[in-house]
PDB file of all heavy atoms in Angstrom:
ATOM      1  N   ARG A  14    -156.971  72.843 117.020  1.00 91.00           N
ATOM      2  CA  ARG A  14    -156.664  71.751 116.077  1.00 91.00           C
ATOM      3  C   ARG A  14    -157.641  71.730 114.915  1.00 91.00           C
ATOM      4  O   ARG A  14    -157.281  71.461 113.781  1.00 91.00           O
ATOM      5  CB  ARG A  14    -156.656  70.409 116.795  1.00 91.00           C
ATOM      6  CG  ARG A  14    -155.379  70.164 117.550  1.00 91.00           C
ATOM      7  CD  ARG A  14    -155.411  68.792 118.154  1.00 91.00           C
ATOM      8  NE  ARG A  14    -156.422  68.753 119.213  1.00 91.00           N
ATOM      9  CZ  ARG A  14    -156.191  68.358 120.447  1.00 91.00           C
ATOM     10  NH1 ARG A  14    -155.005  67.911 120.778  1.00 91.00           N
ATOM     11  NH2 ARG A  14    -157.136  68.369 121.340  1.00 91.00           N
ATOM     12  N   THR A  15    -158.910  72.025 115.203  1.00 93.00           N
ATOM     13  CA  THR A  15    -159.924  72.129 114.158  1.00 93.00           C
ATOM     14  C   THR A  15    -160.022  73.601 113.781  1.00 93.00           C
ATOM     15  O   THR A  15    -160.569  74.409 114.533  1.00 93.00           O
ATOM     16  CB  THR A  15    -161.289  71.621 114.663  1.00 93.00           C
ATOM     17  OG1 THR A  15    -161.123  70.305 115.182  1.00 93.00           O
ATOM     18  CG2 THR A  15    -162.323  71.626 113.568  1.00 93.00           C
ATOM     19  N   HIS A  16    -159.458  73.949 112.627  1.00 96.00           N
ATOM     20  CA  HIS A  16    -159.382  75.363 112.239  1.00 96.00           C
ATOM     21  C   HIS A  16    -160.764  76.006 112.129  1.00 96.00           C
ATOM     22  O   HIS A  16    -160.938  77.170 112.500  1.00 96.00           O
ATOM     23  CB  HIS A  16    -158.601  75.519 110.930  1.00 96.00           C
ATOM     24  CG  HIS A  16    -158.366  76.952 110.575  1.00 96.00           C
ATOM     25  ND1 HIS A  16    -157.551  77.774 111.323  1.00 96.00           N
ATOM     26  CD2 HIS A  16    -158.851  77.714 109.567  1.00 96.00           C
ATOM     27  CE1 HIS A  16    -157.536  78.982 110.790  1.00 96.00           C
ATOM     28  NE2 HIS A  16    -158.310  78.964 109.724  1.00 96.00           N
ATOM     29  N   ASP A  17    -161.749  75.255 111.648  1.00 96.00           N
ATOM     30  CA  ASP A  17    -163.101  75.814 111.536  1.00 96.00           C
ATOM     31  C   ASP A  17    -163.625  76.286 112.889  1.00 96.00           C
ATOM     32  O   ASP A  17    -164.315  77.299 112.972  1.00 96.00           O
ATOM     33  CB  ASP A  17    -164.068  74.796 110.934  1.00 96.00           C
ATOM     34  CG  ASP A  17    -163.811  74.542 109.458  1.00 96.00           C
ATOM     35  OD1 ASP A  17    -163.119  75.356 108.816  1.00 96.00           O
ATOM     36  OD2 ASP A  17    -164.300  73.517 108.950  1.00 96.00           O
ATOM     37  N   ARG A  18    -163.293  75.558 113.921  1.00 95.00           N
ATOM     38  CA  ARG A  18    -163.722  75.947 115.282  1.00 95.00           C
ATOM     39  C   ARG A  18    -163.002  77.226 115.720  1.00 95.00           C
ATOM     40  O   ARG A  18    -163.591  78.099 116.348  1.00 95.00           O
ATOM     41  CB  ARG A  18    -163.438  74.793 116.255  1.00 95.00           C
ATOM     42  CG  ARG A  18    -163.849  75.065 117.660  1.00 95.00           C
ATOM     43  CD  ARG A  18    -165.370  75.017 117.840  1.00 95.00           C
ATOM     44  NE  ARG A  18    -165.650  75.263 119.245  1.00 95.00           N
ATOM     45  CZ  ARG A  18    -166.314  76.324 119.693  1.00 95.00           C
ATOM     46  NH1 ARG A  18    -166.831  77.191 118.871  1.00 95.00           N
ATOM     47  NH2 ARG A  18    -166.488  76.503 120.983  1.00 95.00           N
ATOM     48  N   ALA A  19    -161.737  77.367 115.362  1.00 96.00           N
ATOM     49  CA  ALA A  19    -160.997  78.599 115.671  1.00 96.00           C
ATOM     50  C   ALA A  19    -161.611  79.783 114.927  1.00 96.00           C
ATOM     51  O   ALA A  19    -161.774  80.865 115.495  1.00 96.00           O
ATOM     52  CB  ALA A  19    -159.526  78.438 115.302  1.00 96.00           C
ATOM     53  N   VAL A  20    -161.981  79.564 113.669  1.00 97.00           N
ATOM     54  CA  VAL A  20    -162.609  80.618 112.868  1.00 97.00           C
ATOM     55  C   VAL A  20    -163.927  81.044 113.506  1.00 97.00           C
ATOM     56  O   VAL A  20    -164.229  82.235 113.615  1.00 97.00           O
ATOM     57  CB  VAL A  20    -162.833  80.129 111.411  1.00 97.00           C
ATOM     58  CG1 VAL A  20    -163.726  81.090 110.638  1.00 97.00           C
ATOM     59  CG2 VAL A  20    -161.497  79.944 110.703  1.00 97.00           C
ATOM     60  N   GLU A  21    -164.691  80.061 113.944  1.00 97.00           N
ATOM     61  CA  GLU A  21    -165.990  80.348 114.570  1.00 97.00           C
ATOM     62  C   GLU A  21    -165.828  81.183 115.837  1.00 97.00           C
ATOM     63  O   GLU A  21    -166.492  82.207 116.006  1.00 97.00           O
ATOM     64  CB  GLU A  21    -166.691  79.029 114.894  1.00 97.00           C
ATOM     65  CG  GLU A  21    -168.036  79.184 115.552  1.00 97.00           C
ATOM     66  CD  GLU A  21    -168.626  77.840 115.971  1.00 97.00           C
ATOM     67  OE1 GLU A  21    -168.391  76.837 115.273  1.00 97.00           O
ATOM     68  OE2 GLU A  21    -169.303  77.809 117.015  1.00 97.00           O
ATOM     69  N   LEU A  22    -164.941  80.753 116.734  1.00 96.00           N
ATOM     70  CA  LEU A  22    -164.758  81.486 117.986  1.00 96.00           C
ATOM     71  C   LEU A  22    -164.159  82.864 117.735  1.00 96.00           C
ATOM     72  O   LEU A  22    -164.631  83.859 118.287  1.00 96.00           O
ATOM     73  CB  LEU A  22    -163.878  80.696 118.959  1.00 96.00           C
ATOM     74  CG  LEU A  22    -163.674  81.341 120.329  1.00 96.00           C
ATOM     75  CD1 LEU A  22    -165.003  81.488 121.068  1.00 96.00           C
ATOM     76  CD2 LEU A  22    -162.704  80.538 121.169  1.00 96.00           C
ATOM     77  N   ALA A  23    -163.152  82.945 116.907  1.00 97.00           N
ATOM     78  CA  ALA A  23    -162.541  84.241 116.599  1.00 97.00           C
ATOM     79  C   ALA A  23    -163.572  85.192 115.995  1.00 97.00           C
ATOM     80  O   ALA A  23    -163.610  86.376 116.339  1.00 97.00           O
ATOM     81  CB  ALA A  23    -161.359  84.049 115.653  1.00 97.00           C
ATOM     82  N   GLY A  24    -164.421  84.683 115.124  1.00 97.00           N
ATOM     83  CA  GLY A  24    -165.440  85.511 114.497  1.00 97.00           C
ATOM     84  C   GLY A  24    -166.423  86.105 115.487  1.00 97.00           C
ATOM     85  O   GLY A  24    -166.866  87.242 115.336  1.00 97.00           O
ATOM     86  N   ARG A  25    -166.759  85.344 116.506  1.00 95.00           N
ATOM     87  CA  ARG A  25    -167.693  85.852 117.529  1.00 95.00           C
ATOM     88  C   ARG A  25    -167.132  87.040 118.283  1.00 95.00           C
ATOM     89  O   ARG A  25    -167.880  87.852 118.822  1.00 95.00           O
ATOM     90  CB  ARG A  25    -168.033  84.752 118.524  1.00 95.00           C
ATOM     91  CG  ARG A  25    -169.184  83.923 118.066  1.00 95.00           C
ATOM     92  CD  ARG A  25    -169.704  83.073 119.178  1.00 95.00           C
ATOM     93  NE  ARG A  25    -169.284  81.719 118.874  1.00 95.00           N
ATOM     94  CZ  ARG A  25    -169.009  80.796 119.761  1.00 95.00           C
ATOM     95  NH1 ARG A  25    -169.085  81.061 121.041  1.00 95.00           N
ATOM     96  NH2 ARG A  25    -168.636  79.603 119.384  1.00 95.00           N
ATOM     97  N   PHE A  26    -165.797  87.142 118.340  1.00 95.00           N
ATOM     98  CA  PHE A  26    -165.163  88.204 119.112  1.00 95.00           C
ATOM     99  C   PHE A  26    -164.329  89.138 118.237  1.00 95.00           C
ATOM    100  O   PHE A  26    -163.463  89.840 118.729  1.00 95.00           O
ATOM    101  CB  PHE A  26    -164.299  87.585 120.217  1.00 95.00           C
ATOM    102  CG  PHE A  26    -165.128  86.833 121.221  1.00 95.00           C
ATOM    103  CD1 PHE A  26    -165.220  85.448 121.155  1.00 95.00           C
ATOM    104  CD2 PHE A  26    -165.828  87.501 122.193  1.00 95.00           C
ATOM    105  CE1 PHE A  26    -165.993  84.745 122.063  1.00 95.00           C
ATOM    106  CE2 PHE A  26    -166.613  86.807 123.108  1.00 95.00           C
ATOM    107  CZ  PHE A  26    -166.693  85.428 123.044  1.00 95.00           C
ATOM    108  N   HIS A  27    -164.609  89.128 116.943  1.00 95.00           N
ATOM    109  CA  HIS A  27    -163.883  89.977 115.988  1.00 95.00           C
ATOM    110  C   HIS A  27    -162.378  89.770 116.108  1.00 95.00           C
ATOM    111  O   HIS A  27    -161.596  90.708 116.000  1.00 95.00           O
ATOM    112  CB  HIS A  27    -164.255  91.457 116.179  1.00 95.00           C
ATOM    113  CG  HIS A  27    -165.726  91.688 116.137  1.00 95.00           C
ATOM    114  ND1 HIS A  27    -166.453  91.600 114.977  1.00 95.00           N
ATOM    115  CD2 HIS A  27    -166.620  91.954 117.113  1.00 95.00           C
ATOM    116  CE1 HIS A  27    -167.733  91.823 115.248  1.00 95.00           C
ATOM    117  NE2 HIS A  27    -167.859  92.035 116.537  1.00 95.00           N
ATOM    118  N   GLY A  28    -162.010  88.520 116.337  1.00 96.00           N
ATOM    119  CA  GLY A  28    -160.599  88.166 116.465  1.00 96.00           C
ATOM    120  C   GLY A  28    -160.064  87.553 115.185  1.00 96.00           C
ATOM    121  O   GLY A  28    -160.705  87.624 114.128  1.00 96.00           O
ATOM    122  N   GLU A  29    -158.908  86.941 115.305  1.00 96.00           N
ATOM    123  CA  GLU A  29    -158.245  86.331 114.157  1.00 96.00           C
ATOM    124  C   GLU A  29    -157.960  84.859 114.445  1.00 96.00           C
ATOM    125  O   GLU A  29    -157.358  84.529 115.470  1.00 96.00           O
ATOM    126  CB  GLU A  29    -156.932  87.055 113.881  1.00 96.00           C
ATOM    127  CG  GLU A  29    -156.178  86.527 112.690  1.00 96.00           C
ATOM    128  CD  GLU A  29    -154.881  87.262 112.450  1.00 96.00           C
ATOM    129  OE1 GLU A  29    -154.682  88.374 112.980  1.00 96.00           O
ATOM    130  OE2 GLU A  29    -154.035  86.698 111.721  1.00 96.00           O
ATOM    131  N   ALA A  30    -158.406  84.002 113.549  1.00 97.00           N
ATOM    132  CA  ALA A  30    -158.114  82.574 113.676  1.00 97.00           C
ATOM    133  C   ALA A  30    -156.717  82.311 113.122  1.00 97.00           C
ATOM    134  O   ALA A  30    -156.332  82.856 112.086  1.00 97.00           O
ATOM    135  CB  ALA A  30    -159.139  81.752 112.912  1.00 97.00           C
ATOM    136  N   ILE A  31    -155.967  81.499 113.832  1.00 96.00           N
ATOM    137  CA  ILE A  31    -154.611  81.130 113.447  1.00 96.00           C
ATOM    138  C   ILE A  31    -154.594  79.623 113.182  1.00 96.00           C
ATOM    139  O   ILE A  31    -155.127  78.850 113.985  1.00 96.00           O
ATOM    140  CB  ILE A  31    -153.600  81.465 114.571  1.00 96.00           C
ATOM    141  CG1 ILE A  31    -153.673  82.950 114.944  1.00 96.00           C
ATOM    142  CG2 ILE A  31    -152.201  81.027 114.192  1.00 96.00           C
ATOM    143  CD1 ILE A  31    -153.220  83.907 113.878  1.00 96.00           C
ATOM    144  N   ARG A  32    -153.990  79.222 112.091  1.00 95.00           N
ATOM    145  CA  ARG A  32    -153.861  77.791 111.811  1.00 95.00           C
ATOM    146  C   ARG A  32    -152.980  77.157 112.883  1.00 95.00           C
ATOM    147  O   ARG A  32    -151.976  77.722 113.294  1.00 95.00           O
ATOM    148  CB  ARG A  32    -153.280  77.553 110.427  1.00 95.00           C
ATOM    149  CG  ARG A  32    -154.218  78.034 109.357  1.00 95.00           C
ATOM    150  CD  ARG A  32    -154.044  77.251 108.078  1.00 95.00           C
ATOM    151  NE  ARG A  32    -155.099  77.602 107.160  1.00 95.00           N
ATOM    152  CZ  ARG A  32    -156.301  77.039 107.129  1.00 95.00           C
ATOM    153  NH1 ARG A  32    -156.600  76.090 107.970  1.00 95.00           N
ATOM    154  NH2 ARG A  32    -157.212  77.418 106.265  1.00 95.00           N
ATOM    155  N   PHE A  33    -153.378  75.969 113.310  1.00 88.00           N
ATOM    156  CA  PHE A  33    -152.687  75.303 114.408  1.00 88.00           C
ATOM    157  C   PHE A  33    -151.210  75.078 114.112  1.00 88.00           C
ATOM    158  O   PHE A  33    -150.365  75.186 114.990  1.00 88.00           O
ATOM    159  CB  PHE A  33    -153.384  73.981 114.729  1.00 88.00           C
ATOM    160  CG  PHE A  33    -153.144  73.512 116.119  1.00 88.00           C
ATOM    161  CD1 PHE A  33    -153.718  74.151 117.196  1.00 88.00           C
ATOM    162  CD2 PHE A  33    -152.328  72.428 116.367  1.00 88.00           C
ATOM    163  CE1 PHE A  33    -153.506  73.725 118.490  1.00 88.00           C
ATOM    164  CE2 PHE A  33    -152.100  71.982 117.656  1.00 88.00           C
ATOM    165  CZ  PHE A  33    -152.689  72.639 118.711  1.00 88.00           C
ATOM    166  N   ASP A  34    -150.886  74.798 112.852  1.00 89.00           N
ATOM    167  CA  ASP A  34    -149.479  74.570 112.517  1.00 89.00           C
ATOM    168  C   ASP A  34    -148.660  75.866 112.500  1.00 89.00           C
ATOM    169  O   ASP A  34    -147.444  75.833 112.339  1.00 89.00           O
ATOM    170  CB  ASP A  34    -149.326  73.809 111.204  1.00 89.00           C
ATOM    171  CG  ASP A  34    -149.933  74.516 110.007  1.00 89.00           C
ATOM    172  OD1 ASP A  34    -150.623  75.546 110.184  1.00 89.00           O
ATOM    173  OD2 ASP A  34    -149.725  74.029 108.885  1.00 89.00           O
ATOM    174  N   GLU A  35    -149.316  77.009 112.690  1.00 92.00           N
ATOM    175  CA  GLU A  35    -148.633  78.297 112.780  1.00 92.00           C
ATOM    176  C   GLU A  35    -148.564  78.806 114.222  1.00 92.00           C
ATOM    177  O   GLU A  35    -148.157  79.941 114.463  1.00 92.00           O
ATOM    178  CB  GLU A  35    -149.346  79.322 111.899  1.00 92.00           C
ATOM    179  CG  GLU A  35    -149.331  78.959 110.426  1.00 92.00           C
ATOM    180  CD  GLU A  35    -150.187  79.895 109.582  1.00 92.00           C
ATOM    181  OE1 GLU A  35    -150.822  80.817 110.137  1.00 92.00           O
ATOM    182  OE2 GLU A  35    -150.220  79.689 108.367  1.00 92.00           O
ATOM    183  N   LEU A  36    -148.960  77.969 115.148  1.00 86.00           N
ATOM    184  CA  LEU A  36    -149.029  78.358 116.557  1.00 86.00           C
ATOM    185  C   LEU A  36    -147.731  78.974 117.061  1.00 86.00           C
ATOM    186  O   LEU A  36    -147.726  80.088 117.585  1.00 86.00           O
ATOM    187  CB  LEU A  36    -149.395  77.126 117.397  1.00 86.00           C
ATOM    188  CG  LEU A  36    -149.446  77.300 118.906  1.00 86.00           C
ATOM    189  CD1 LEU A  36    -150.599  78.211 119.283  1.00 86.00           C
ATOM    190  CD2 LEU A  36    -149.621  75.947 119.576  1.00 86.00           C
ATOM    191  N   TYR A  37    -146.625  78.292 116.870  1.00 85.00           N
ATOM    192  CA  TYR A  37    -145.359  78.767 117.418  1.00 85.00           C
ATOM    193  C   TYR A  37    -144.809  79.968 116.651  1.00 85.00           C
ATOM    194  O   TYR A  37    -144.087  80.778 117.209  1.00 85.00           O
ATOM    195  CB  TYR A  37    -144.327  77.640 117.455  1.00 85.00           C
ATOM    196  CG  TYR A  37    -144.765  76.507 118.357  1.00 85.00           C
ATOM    197  CD1 TYR A  37    -145.014  75.248 117.842  1.00 85.00           C
ATOM    198  CD2 TYR A  37    -144.957  76.717 119.720  1.00 85.00           C
ATOM    199  CE1 TYR A  37    -145.438  74.213 118.667  1.00 85.00           C
ATOM    200  CE2 TYR A  37    -145.388  75.687 120.548  1.00 85.00           C
ATOM    201  CZ  TYR A  37    -145.626  74.438 120.014  1.00 85.00           C
ATOM    202  OH  TYR A  37    -146.044  73.421 120.831  1.00 85.00           O
ATOM    203  N   ASP A  38    -145.173  80.086 115.390  1.00 88.00           N
ATOM    204  CA  ASP A  38    -144.694  81.214 114.584  1.00 88.00           C
ATOM    205  C   ASP A  38    -145.454  82.502 114.860  1.00 88.00           C
ATOM    206  O   ASP A  38    -144.985  83.583 114.506  1.00 88.00           O
ATOM    207  CB  ASP A  38    -144.805  80.889 113.092  1.00 88.00           C
ATOM    208  CG  ASP A  38    -143.915  79.733 112.684  1.00 88.00           C
ATOM    209  OD1 ASP A  38    -142.852  79.547 113.316  1.00 88.00           O
ATOM    210  OD2 ASP A  38    -144.299  79.007 111.752  1.00 88.00           O
ATOM    211  N   THR A  39    -146.625  82.407 115.463  1.00 88.00           N
ATOM    212  CA  THR A  39    -147.468  83.588 115.649  1.00 88.00           C
ATOM    213  C   THR A  39    -147.723  83.964 117.104  1.00 88.00           C
ATOM    214  O   THR A  39    -148.229  85.046 117.367  1.00 88.00           O
ATOM    215  CB  THR A  39    -148.828  83.395 114.950  1.00 88.00           C
ATOM    216  OG1 THR A  39    -149.452  82.216 115.469  1.00 88.00           O
ATOM    217  CG2 THR A  39    -148.669  83.272 113.443  1.00 88.00           C
ATOM    218  N   ALA A  40    -147.384  83.110 118.036  1.00 85.00           N
ATOM    219  CA  ALA A  40    -147.691  83.383 119.450  1.00 85.00           C
ATOM    220  C   ALA A  40    -147.016  84.650 119.964  1.00 85.00           C
ATOM    221  O   ALA A  40    -147.525  85.289 120.892  1.00 85.00           O
ATOM    222  CB  ALA A  40    -147.299  82.188 120.318  1.00 85.00           C
ATOM    223  N   ASP A  41    -145.916  85.044 119.344  1.00 88.00           N
ATOM    224  CA  ASP A  41    -145.229  86.250 119.817  1.00 88.00           C
ATOM    225  C   ASP A  41    -145.985  87.533 119.485  1.00 88.00           C
ATOM    226  O   ASP A  41    -145.598  88.612 119.912  1.00 88.00           O
ATOM    227  CB  ASP A  41    -143.805  86.313 119.266  1.00 88.00           C
ATOM    228  CG  ASP A  41    -143.747  86.433 117.755  1.00 88.00           C
ATOM    229  OD1 ASP A  41    -144.774  86.251 117.083  1.00 88.00           O
ATOM    230  OD2 ASP A  41    -142.648  86.704 117.243  1.00 88.00           O
ATOM    231  N   ARG A  42    -147.098  87.422 118.788  1.00 91.00           N
ATOM    232  CA  ARG A  42    -147.937  88.590 118.502  1.00 91.00           C
ATOM    233  C   ARG A  42    -148.790  88.973 119.717  1.00 91.00           C
ATOM    234  O   ARG A  42    -149.430  90.018 119.708  1.00 91.00           O
ATOM    235  CB  ARG A  42    -148.844  88.296 117.309  1.00 91.00           C
ATOM    236  CG  ARG A  42    -148.056  88.076 116.018  1.00 91.00           C
ATOM    237  CD  ARG A  42    -148.897  87.572 114.883  1.00 91.00           C
ATOM    238  NE  ARG A  42    -150.004  88.455 114.560  1.00 91.00           N
ATOM    239  CZ  ARG A  42    -150.974  88.121 113.722  1.00 91.00           C
ATOM    240  NH1 ARG A  42    -150.987  86.944 113.124  1.00 91.00           N
ATOM    241  NH2 ARG A  42    -151.953  88.971 113.464  1.00 91.00           N
ATOM    242  N   ALA A  43    -148.796  88.132 120.720  1.00 91.00           N
ATOM    243  CA  ALA A  43    -149.666  88.352 121.875  1.00 91.00           C
ATOM    244  C   ALA A  43    -148.881  88.708 123.126  1.00 91.00           C
ATOM    245  O   ALA A  43    -147.737  88.311 123.301  1.00 91.00           O
ATOM    246  CB  ALA A  43    -150.489  87.095 122.136  1.00 91.00           C
ATOM    247  N   ASP A  44    -149.557  89.448 123.992  1.00 91.00           N
ATOM    248  CA  ASP A  44    -149.017  89.768 125.310  1.00 91.00           C
ATOM    249  C   ASP A  44    -149.368  88.674 126.310  1.00 91.00           C
ATOM    250  O   ASP A  44    -148.649  88.447 127.278  1.00 91.00           O
ATOM    251  CB  ASP A  44    -149.608  91.094 125.814  1.00 91.00           C
ATOM    252  CG  ASP A  44    -149.333  92.241 124.871  1.00 91.00           C
ATOM    253  OD1 ASP A  44    -148.150  92.586 124.695  1.00 91.00           O
ATOM    254  OD2 ASP A  44    -150.298  92.775 124.288  1.00 91.00           O
ATOM    255  N   ILE A  45    -150.498  88.022 126.075  1.00 89.00           N
ATOM    256  CA  ILE A  45    -151.033  87.009 126.984  1.00 89.00           C
ATOM    257  C   ILE A  45    -151.367  85.767 126.163  1.00 89.00           C
ATOM    258  O   ILE A  45    -152.017  85.875 125.131  1.00 89.00           O
ATOM    259  CB  ILE A  45    -152.323  87.522 127.674  1.00 89.00           C
ATOM    260  CG1 ILE A  45    -152.036  88.797 128.473  1.00 89.00           C
ATOM    261  CG2 ILE A  45    -152.936  86.437 128.555  1.00 89.00           C
ATOM    262  CD1 ILE A  45    -153.291  89.552 128.877  1.00 89.00           C
ATOM    263  N   VAL A  46    -150.928  84.604 126.622  1.00 88.00           N
ATOM    264  CA  VAL A  46    -151.275  83.342 125.974  1.00 88.00           C
ATOM    265  C   VAL A  46    -151.998  82.476 126.987  1.00 88.00           C
ATOM    266  O   VAL A  46    -151.503  82.259 128.091  1.00 88.00           O
ATOM    267  CB  VAL A  46    -150.025  82.598 125.448  1.00 88.00           C
ATOM    268  CG1 VAL A  46    -150.414  81.246 124.853  1.00 88.00           C
ATOM    269  CG2 VAL A  46    -149.277  83.445 124.425  1.00 88.00           C
ATOM    270  N   ILE A  47    -153.180  82.009 126.593  1.00 87.00           N
ATOM    271  CA  ILE A  47    -153.965  81.132 127.461  1.00 87.00           C
ATOM    272  C   ILE A  47    -154.237  79.843 126.698  1.00 87.00           C
ATOM    273  O   ILE A  47    -154.775  79.873 125.592  1.00 87.00           O
ATOM    274  CB  ILE A  47    -155.296  81.791 127.873  1.00 87.00           C
ATOM    275  CG1 ILE A  47    -155.018  83.040 128.709  1.00 87.00           C
ATOM    276  CG2 ILE A  47    -156.165  80.796 128.637  1.00 87.00           C
ATOM    277  CD1 ILE A  47    -156.257  83.838 129.054  1.00 87.00           C
ATOM    278  N   SER A  48    -153.868  78.736 127.299  1.00 84.00           N
ATOM    279  CA  SER A  48    -154.100  77.437 126.684  1.00 84.00           C
ATOM    280  C   SER A  48    -155.161  76.696 127.478  1.00 84.00           C
ATOM    281  O   SER A  48    -155.028  76.521 128.690  1.00 84.00           O
ATOM    282  CB  SER A  48    -152.796  76.634 126.662  1.00 84.00           C
ATOM    283  OG  SER A  48    -153.021  75.361 126.135  1.00 84.00           O
ATOM    284  N   SER A  49    -156.202  76.289 126.781  1.00 82.00           N
ATOM    285  CA  SER A  49    -157.280  75.548 127.416  1.00 82.00           C
ATOM    286  C   SER A  49    -157.669  74.410 126.476  1.00 82.00           C
ATOM    287  O   SER A  49    -158.552  74.556 125.631  1.00 82.00           O
ATOM    288  CB  SER A  49    -158.470  76.475 127.671  1.00 82.00           C
ATOM    289  OG  SER A  49    -159.544  75.749 128.223  1.00 82.00           O
ATOM    290  N   THR A  50    -156.973  73.295 126.629  1.00 73.00           N
ATOM    291  CA  THR A  50    -157.199  72.145 125.754  1.00 73.00           C
ATOM    292  C   THR A  50    -157.206  70.873 126.596  1.00 73.00           C
ATOM    293  O   THR A  50    -156.926  70.912 127.795  1.00 73.00           O
ATOM    294  CB  THR A  50    -156.081  72.017 124.696  1.00 73.00           C
ATOM    295  OG1 THR A  50    -154.873  71.657 125.344  1.00 73.00           O
ATOM    296  CG2 THR A  50    -155.903  73.315 123.914  1.00 73.00           C
ATOM    297  N   GLU A  51    -157.471  69.768 125.949  1.00 70.00           N
ATOM    298  CA  GLU A  51    -157.430  68.477 126.636  1.00 70.00           C
ATOM    299  C   GLU A  51    -156.049  67.839 126.562  1.00 70.00           C
ATOM    300  O   GLU A  51    -155.848  66.733 127.059  1.00 70.00           O
ATOM    301  CB  GLU A  51    -158.477  67.539 126.033  1.00 70.00           C
ATOM    302  CG  GLU A  51    -159.887  67.995 126.306  1.00 70.00           C
ATOM    303  CD  GLU A  51    -160.922  67.046 125.741  1.00 70.00           C
ATOM    304  OE1 GLU A  51    -160.587  65.889 125.424  1.00 70.00           O
ATOM    305  OE2 GLU A  51    -162.087  67.458 125.631  1.00 70.00           O
ATOM    306  N   ARG A  52    -155.104  68.503 125.955  1.00 69.00           N
ATOM    307  CA  ARG A  52    -153.750  67.969 125.820  1.00 69.00           C
ATOM    308  C   ARG A  52    -153.127  67.777 127.210  1.00 69.00           C
ATOM    309  O   ARG A  52    -153.163  68.684 128.043  1.00 69.00           O
ATOM    310  CB  ARG A  52    -152.908  68.938 124.992  1.00 69.00           C
ATOM    311  CG  ARG A  52    -151.510  68.437 124.746  1.00 69.00           C
ATOM    312  CD  ARG A  52    -150.763  69.411 123.875  1.00 69.00           C
ATOM    313  NE  ARG A  52    -149.350  69.084 123.840  1.00 69.00           N
ATOM    314  CZ  ARG A  52    -148.558  69.419 122.854  1.00 69.00           C
ATOM    315  NH1 ARG A  52    -149.022  70.107 121.837  1.00 69.00           N
ATOM    316  NH2 ARG A  52    -147.293  69.093 122.899  1.00 69.00           N
ATOM    317  N   PRO A  53    -152.537  66.620 127.466  1.00 66.00           N
ATOM    318  CA  PRO A  53    -151.995  66.347 128.799  1.00 66.00           C
ATOM    319  C   PRO A  53    -150.650  67.033 129.073  1.00 66.00           C
ATOM    320  O   PRO A  53    -150.215  67.085 130.219  1.00 66.00           O
ATOM    321  CB  PRO A  53    -151.824  64.825 128.809  1.00 66.00           C
ATOM    322  CG  PRO A  53    -151.656  64.461 127.377  1.00 66.00           C
ATOM    323  CD  PRO A  53    -152.477  65.448 126.594  1.00 66.00           C
ATOM    324  N   THR A  54    -149.990  67.558 128.047  1.00 66.00           N
ATOM    325  CA  THR A  54    -148.704  68.235 128.248  1.00 66.00           C
ATOM    326  C   THR A  54    -148.811  69.674 127.737  1.00 66.00           C
ATOM    327  O   THR A  54    -149.626  69.980 126.876  1.00 66.00           O
ATOM    328  CB  THR A  54    -147.571  67.508 127.485  1.00 66.00           C
ATOM    329  OG1 THR A  54    -147.913  67.471 126.087  1.00 66.00           O
ATOM    330  CG2 THR A  54    -147.381  66.097 128.004  1.00 66.00           C
ATOM    331  N   PRO A  55    -147.971  70.565 128.244  1.00 65.00           N
ATOM    332  CA  PRO A  55    -148.023  71.968 127.809  1.00 65.00           C
ATOM    333  C   PRO A  55    -147.647  72.137 126.334  1.00 65.00           C
ATOM    334  O   PRO A  55    -146.846  71.374 125.798  1.00 65.00           O
ATOM    335  CB  PRO A  55    -146.994  72.655 128.694  1.00 65.00           C
ATOM    336  CG  PRO A  55    -146.726  71.720 129.810  1.00 65.00           C
ATOM    337  CD  PRO A  55    -146.993  70.342 129.302  1.00 65.00           C
TER     338      PRO A  55
END
């Protein structure tokens, strides 16, 4: 949700930060999706 935090974590692992509003449009780029948030619903 906080894009700066995504940029920070992705940068540590030479990954790519994705804007939260692009989540559903870009998830098909992955073989594995892991969600670890405080959101009560999937």
Side-chain angles (χ1 to χ4, degrees):
R14 281 184 292 234
T15 306
H16 186 67
D17 289 343
R18 181 73 179 116
V20 169
E21 180 185 327
L22 183 62
R25 273 193 253 149
F26 295 100
H27 307 288
E29 181 180 343
I31 304 293
R32 295 208 171 274
F33 204 71
D34 60 352
E35 297 173 359
L36 177 67
Y37 298 116
D38 296 330
T39 57
D41 64 348
R42 295 171 58 190
D44 302 296
I45 300 165
V46 177
I47 296 174
S48 177
S49 177
T50 69
E51 293 182 17
R52 183 177 169 155
T54 58

